[in-house]
């Protein structure tokens, strides 16, 4: 597995765990905020990966 895949796997794991905690404690603002932060981090990472794909394709 390359670094990109490892980073994505770790981000998704953190997001999943935060989601589970938010579901278990729906009235907790802290768990909901942690989930939102983890989700945003995953989305930003995926966005940056998508942005880099055309650059990698051009360099081949």
């Amino acid at each position: 597995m390359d670094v990109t895949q490892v980073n994505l796997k770790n981000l998704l794991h953190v997001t999943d765990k935060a989601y589970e905690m938010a579901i278990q404690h729906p009235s907790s603002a802290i768990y909901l905020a942690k989930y939102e932060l983890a989700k945003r981090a995953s989305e930003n990472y995926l966005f940056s990966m998508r942005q880099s794909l055309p650059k990698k394709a051009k360099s081949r």
Side-chain angles (χ1 to χ4, degrees):
M1 227 187 284
D2 71 353
V3 174
T4 301
Q5 290 173 329
V6 172
N7 289 340
L8 182 57
K9 182 180 174 183
N10 289 337
L11 279 170
L12 293 176
H13 177 74
V14 169
T15 304
D16 285 345
K17 290 297 177 187
Y19 178 76
E20 289 174 11
M21 294 304 292
I23 292 297
Q24 290 176 8
H25 306 279
S27 61
S28 172
I30 293 172
Y31 288 124
L32 293 174
K34 285 183 179 185
Y35 169 63
E36 287 299 323
L37 285 173
K39 185 174 73 168
R40 194 170 309 128
S42 296
E43 289 170 348
N44 288 340
Y45 191 76
L46 286 171
F47 178 78
S48 67
M49 283 179 52
R50 288 184 189 118
Q51 293 295 99
S52 70
L53 286 176
K55 294 174 187 171
K56 288 182 182 178
K58 287 180 184 178
S59 66
R60 289 185 181 185

